[in-house]
Amino acid sequence: MIKISWGDLTPEKFLQEYWQKKPLLIKQAVPGFTGTIEADELAGLAMEQEIESRIISHDGNEQWQVHHGPFEDFSQFGEQNWTLLVQAVNNWSRETNQLLSLVNFIPRWRVDDVMVSFSTPEGGVGAHLDQYDVFILQGEGRRRWQVGAPDASLKTLLPHPDLKQVSPFDPLIDEITEPGDLLYIPPNHPHNGVSVENSLNFSIGFQAPSNQDLWSGFADILIDKNLGEARFTDPNRTACVDSSQLTEKDTKALHAFMLSQFNDTAMFNEFIGKYLTQNHHALELLIPMEAFEQAYVVEILDNEDIHLAPVSGIKALIIDEPSPCLYINGDAFTLCEETKPLAKLLASSDPLTTKTLKSFTDCLKNTQLLTNVLNKGYWFIEE
Ligand code: SIN
Ligand code: CO
């Protein structure tokens, strides 16, 4: 498991002083790091239909172009002034997914994906803002990174319909990053990375749900479960003074009526568990051609030459209240005292040996849980 070499900082101090507040560059945060994927493998991913990729290029004279993947050939882009960005590489590369352990001091539900970029000399996406926190780990090569403070006077620029940039800003950080350096950029801080030479950047991007997404997600659950059909009632109404008025009493009653379901902890927790474990990018789900029987799962656990692994990048979390539940990829698996220890292992992203798993199968409920996650394709059998 790789960890950040914090130097004088600790995760606690980082959260207090920098998280969502100030950018930070940690030199040699991961000594010896050069990358988890080679540039040509990245180019291979950018050729795949289901993987989101872009190439952003410029002519050195502020003329910018955006090309969307999948790509068949990269030769037209030449030797410089462009960058290839591939989203959610951690869903396809387990080594890249392991980079998430760098930010284990922040819960997994806050993390979105690991985006990887390959940039040629002078390549970059230009000065811009992002709405999310990001940790950018420098792999191979060097890049000049400038990061500034939020500044309402910055102008939004649209040098291409698919490319939002901002006007030049005063940098708080202006450094050349080298392999193993880690840059933290809070939301809405202008930044610009310009490659010095061919270089790879690994961006651990965070997710922060918007209020409107949460409300509409909650409404979707009510509709799916047909739970939103109850009507407002007012059996204790008294004659009103002015029929054109919506009284404070009625407003409060309507407000309480709407909130009654929102305040139902079981319903809210089921919604939020499902919502937060949904992946925003394609995953390599491995659904078996024919559903496994529980007896078959017990049988394969005798084989010590295989192990069970989660699909790379899959999101899982456990919510204990009001009754324990494991959420994986937007699905809920109800737990009990006997299945909680196994669920804890299934919620981590580490492969499990058959020997470890075998110890759980004395309990039928554990075998059932394991069979369910295998049949959903969230975990798979690996030779
Ligand atoms: C990158 O070019 O690797 C990161 C782009 C960004 O700053 O969002
Ligand atoms: Co950015």
Side-chain angles (χ1 to χ4, degrees), residues 145-160:
W145 276 103
Q146 293 177 305
V147 189
D151 177 352
S153 73
L154 293 181
K155 292 196 178 55
T156 303
L157 310 173
L158 215 59
H160 180 281

mmCIF file of all heavy atoms in Angstrom, residues 145-160:
data_model
loop_
_atom_site.group_PDB
_atom_site.id
_atom_site.type_symbol
_atom_site.label_atom_id
_atom_site.label_comp_id
_atom_site.label_asym_id
_atom_site.label_seq_id
_atom_site.Cartn_x
_atom_site.Cartn_y
_atom_site.Cartn_z
ATOM 1 N N TRP A 145 4.002 23.593 -13.044
ATOM 2 C CA TRP A 145 2.655 23.789 -12.512
ATOM 3 C C TRP A 145 2.552 25.147 -11.829
ATOM 4 O O TRP A 145 3.385 25.504 -11.007
ATOM 5 C CB TRP A 145 2.302 22.695 -11.492
ATOM 6 C CG TRP A 145 1.777 21.451 -12.133
ATOM 7 C CD1 TRP A 145 2.446 20.281 -12.341
ATOM 8 C CD2 TRP A 145 0.462 21.248 -12.669
ATOM 9 N NE1 TRP A 145 1.639 19.366 -12.972
ATOM 10 C CE2 TRP A 145 0.412 19.935 -13.183
ATOM 11 C CE3 TRP A 145 -0.677 22.050 -12.782
ATOM 12 C CZ2 TRP A 145 -0.723 19.400 -13.786
ATOM 13 C CZ3 TRP A 145 -1.802 21.514 -13.388
ATOM 14 C CH2 TRP A 145 -1.821 20.207 -13.879
ATOM 15 N N GLN A 146 1.527 25.874 -12.204
ATOM 16 C CA GLN A 146 1.218 27.133 -11.520
ATOM 17 C C GLN A 146 -0.183 27.000 -10.924
ATOM 18 O O GLN A 146 -1.098 26.517 -11.595
ATOM 19 C CB GLN A 146 1.218 28.286 -12.509
ATOM 20 C CG GLN A 146 2.604 28.572 -13.076
ATOM 21 C CD GLN A 146 2.535 29.690 -14.107
ATOM 22 O OE1 GLN A 146 1.775 29.607 -15.060
ATOM 23 N NE2 GLN A 146 3.324 30.735 -13.900
ATOM 24 N N VAL A 147 -0.314 27.402 -9.664
ATOM 25 C CA VAL A 147 -1.631 27.347 -8.997
ATOM 26 C C VAL A 147 -1.845 28.678 -8.279
ATOM 27 O O VAL A 147 -0.939 29.162 -7.577
ATOM 28 C CB VAL A 147 -1.703 26.202 -7.956
ATOM 29 C CG1 VAL A 147 -3.141 26.031 -7.450
ATOM 30 C CG2 VAL A 147 -1.188 24.883 -8.522
ATOM 31 N N GLY A 148 -3.015 29.261 -8.459
ATOM 32 C CA GLY A 148 -3.321 30.538 -7.810
ATOM 33 C C GLY A 148 -4.469 30.409 -6.818
ATOM 34 O O GLY A 148 -4.971 29.314 -6.563
ATOM 35 N N ALA A 149 -4.874 31.547 -6.278
ATOM 36 C CA ALA A 149 -5.989 31.590 -5.319
ATOM 37 C C ALA A 149 -7.275 31.920 -6.081
ATOM 38 O O ALA A 149 -7.220 32.516 -7.155
ATOM 39 C CB ALA A 149 -5.721 32.659 -4.268
ATOM 40 N N PRO A 150 -8.443 31.559 -5.519
ATOM 41 C CA PRO A 150 -9.698 31.949 -6.171
ATOM 42 C C PRO A 150 -9.718 33.462 -6.373
ATOM 43 O O PRO A 150 -9.267 34.207 -5.497
ATOM 44 C CB PRO A 150 -10.773 31.516 -5.161
ATOM 45 C CG PRO A 150 -10.133 30.466 -4.333
ATOM 46 C CD PRO A 150 -8.677 30.817 -4.262
ATOM 47 N N ASP A 151 -10.196 33.898 -7.505
ATOM 48 C CA ASP A 151 -10.133 35.317 -7.832
ATOM 49 C C ASP A 151 -11.322 35.646 -8.745
ATOM 50 O O ASP A 151 -11.366 35.214 -9.895
ATOM 51 C CB ASP A 151 -8.785 35.580 -8.545
ATOM 52 C CG ASP A 151 -8.631 37.010 -8.993
ATOM 53 O OD1 ASP A 151 -9.618 37.781 -8.889
ATOM 54 O OD2 ASP A 151 -7.537 37.360 -9.464
ATOM 55 N N ALA A 152 -12.270 36.415 -8.170
ATOM 56 C CA ALA A 152 -13.513 36.705 -8.909
ATOM 57 C C ALA A 152 -13.246 37.557 -10.142
ATOM 58 O O ALA A 152 -14.090 37.616 -11.053
ATOM 59 C CB ALA A 152 -14.501 37.403 -7.980
ATOM 60 N N SER A 153 -12.066 38.210 -10.198
ATOM 61 C CA SER A 153 -11.819 39.078 -11.362
ATOM 62 C C SER A 153 -11.300 38.290 -12.578
ATOM 63 O O SER A 153 -11.161 38.853 -13.666
ATOM 64 C CB SER A 153 -10.830 40.194 -10.983
ATOM 65 O OG SER A 153 -9.540 39.646 -10.844
ATOM 66 N N LEU A 154 -11.043 37.000 -12.406
ATOM 67 C CA LEU A 154 -10.563 36.212 -13.557
ATOM 68 C C LEU A 154 -11.689 36.078 -14.586
ATOM 69 O O LEU A 154 -12.850 35.893 -14.221
ATOM 70 C CB LEU A 154 -10.115 34.812 -13.114
ATOM 71 C CG LEU A 154 -8.873 34.737 -12.221
ATOM 72 C CD1 LEU A 154 -8.554 33.287 -11.907
ATOM 73 C CD2 LEU A 154 -7.685 35.421 -12.868
ATOM 74 N N LYS A 155 -11.310 36.174 -15.831
ATOM 75 C CA LYS A 155 -12.328 36.074 -16.896
ATOM 76 C C LYS A 155 -12.403 34.646 -17.402
ATOM 77 O O LYS A 155 -11.385 33.953 -17.482
ATOM 78 C CB LYS A 155 -11.932 36.981 -18.061
ATOM 79 C CG LYS A 155 -12.021 38.435 -17.709
ATOM 80 C CD LYS A 155 -12.008 39.278 -18.980
ATOM 81 C CE LYS A 155 -12.149 40.744 -18.638
ATOM 82 N NZ LYS A 155 -11.124 41.196 -17.679
ATOM 83 N N THR A 156 -13.617 34.228 -17.727
ATOM 84 C CA THR A 156 -13.780 32.903 -18.337
ATOM 85 C C THR A 156 -13.499 33.034 -19.822
ATOM 86 O O THR A 156 -14.005 33.940 -20.482
ATOM 87 C CB THR A 156 -15.225 32.405 -18.123
ATOM 88 O OG1 THR A 156 -15.471 32.393 -16.729
ATOM 89 C CG2 THR A 156 -15.428 31.011 -18.684
ATOM 90 N N LEU A 157 -12.676 32.153 -20.340
ATOM 91 C CA LEU A 157 -12.339 32.167 -21.769
ATOM 92 C C LEU A 157 -12.830 30.864 -22.396
ATOM 93 O O LEU A 157 -12.830 29.814 -21.732
ATOM 94 C CB LEU A 157 -10.814 32.272 -21.970
ATOM 95 C CG LEU A 157 -10.082 33.374 -21.190
ATOM 96 C CD1 LEU A 157 -8.573 33.233 -21.370
ATOM 97 C CD2 LEU A 157 -10.541 34.751 -21.672
ATOM 98 N N LEU A 158 -13.222 30.934 -23.642
ATOM 99 C CA LEU A 158 -13.704 29.743 -24.346
ATOM 100 C C LEU A 158 -12.962 29.650 -25.690
ATOM 101 O O LEU A 158 -13.527 29.943 -26.733
ATOM 102 C CB LEU A 158 -15.221 29.862 -24.552
ATOM 103 C CG LEU A 158 -16.060 28.604 -24.472
ATOM 104 C CD1 LEU A 158 -15.925 27.900 -23.132
ATOM 105 C CD2 LEU A 158 -17.520 28.924 -24.738
ATOM 106 N N PRO A 159 -11.679 29.265 -25.646
ATOM 107 C CA PRO A 159 -10.916 29.261 -26.894
ATOM 108 C C PRO A 159 -11.388 28.189 -27.870
ATOM 109 O O PRO A 159 -11.001 28.196 -29.038
ATOM 110 C CB PRO A 159 -9.483 28.990 -26.434
ATOM 111 C CG PRO A 159 -9.624 28.280 -25.138
ATOM 112 C CD PRO A 159 -10.888 28.800 -24.508
ATOM 113 N N HIS A 160 -12.223 27.275 -27.367
ATOM 114 C CA HIS A 160 -12.831 26.225 -28.196
ATOM 115 C C HIS A 160 -14.140 25.890 -27.473
ATOM 116 O O HIS A 160 -14.188 25.943 -26.245
ATOM 117 C CB HIS A 160 -11.882 25.004 -28.249
ATOM 118 C CG HIS A 160 -12.410 23.876 -29.061
ATOM 119 N ND1 HIS A 160 -13.346 22.992 -28.596
ATOM 120 C CD2 HIS A 160 -12.132 23.486 -30.333
ATOM 121 C CE1 HIS A 160 -13.625 22.109 -29.539
ATOM 122 N NE2 HIS A 160 -12.893 22.388 -30.605
#
